[in-house]
Amino acid sequence: MSAAQPGPAQPGPAPDGAPQPEVSRRSRRNRIILWTVLAVVLVALVLLAASFLPRWWAQTVGGLVDGSFGRGAFWGLAFGIVFTLVPTLFVARAVRRWNGWKKPVTFIAAGVLLAAPNLFTLWVVVGTTSAAHAAERTMDVNAPFFRGATAWGVLVGLAAGVAIELLWRGWRERGRKLDAIRKAERDPGSVGD
């Protein structure tokens, strides 16, 4: 074996103007096939979710509320407040200054996942598919007041989340100012006569 053996084929034209190596064409074709299969699977999952999730959510909430007006109002407020307040705090954490993109994206993704119950309810209310309409009828019978109470809970949760974030930022700013004042009082050179 000689020491100057050629390495693996590199994409692009060969130095002598010959056509591209067969390996890179195969690799490109395999990538195209892979991405096409993934796109088809993703579309199938979205279509499956669109027909399954609204009905499943309506049945789940209907079982929880069991046709009671009081339980519908209670659970609607509870879901609306909790699953809006916590995601609001996660998203607020994401918009604070960070170096990089991984932490903000992680916090926003967690916020969206935590808001899933409210997003499912919204999907039932504004959805135009037959599954959304069937889920709406199921909620009308098995979960009265749930959707309206959830809307009110979302408003309360959002207001509480924004208020908590503003109070937190104000408290942190106040702490920074107090630290600066204490530091100035301890440093005799910074105080003028």
Side-chain angles (χ1 to χ4, degrees):
M1 296 215 146
S2 80
Q5 286 186 344
Q10 298 295 325
D16 62 341
Q20 276 187 310
E22 184 63 31
V23 175
S24 73
R25 285 186 191 144
R26 233 181 287 142
S27 175
R28 190 177 306 135
R29 186 187 69 223
N30 288 345
R31 273 193 228 128
I32 290 170
I33 291 170
L34 174 68
W35 283 108
T36 303
V37 168
L38 287 175
V40 168
V41 168
L42 182 64
V43 168
L45 287 174
V46 167
L47 292 174
L48 180 67
S51 66
F52 169 74
L53 283 176
R55 289 183 174 113
W56 168 80
W57 181 243
Q59 292 293 330
T60 301
V61 170
L64 185 65
V65 173
D66 198 28
S68 168
F69 290 101
R71 279 192 295 244
F74 171 77
W75 285 114
L77 280 171
F79 275 75
I81 291 170
V82 170
F83 294 108
T84 301
L85 173 63
V86 176
T88 300
L89 296 176
F90 268 77
V91 171
R93 177 84 172 135
V95 298
R96 292 184 192 150
R97 287 186 229 156
W98 266 327
N99 296 333
W101 58 270
K102 290 181 182 177
K103 283 186 181 180
V105 168
T106 303
F107 273 88
I108 289 172
V112 169
L113 284 176
L114 289 169
N118 290 340
L119 295 174
F120 289 157
T121 303
L122 180 66
W123 191 354
V124 168
V125 171
V126 300
T128 58
T129 64
S130 61
H133 292 305
E136 196 170 18
R137 289 189 298 274
T138 300
M139 282 189 169
D140 284 341
V141 174
N142 296 332
F145 286 167
F146 180 82
R147 289 171 293 165
T150 300
W152 282 104
V154 165
L155 294 175
V156 170
L158 185 62
V162 170
I164 289 169
E165 180 62 21
L166 290 176
L167 287 172
W168 173 256
R169 288 181 184 206
W171 181 70
R172 296 275 306 209
E173 184 62 30
R174 181 177 174 267
R176 283 189 205 103
K177 287 179 182 177
L178 285 174
D179 285 343
I181 291 170
R182 288 183 188 129
K183 184 178 179 183
E185 288 175 352
R186 275 187 250 139
D187 187 10
S190 66
V191 180
D193 288 324

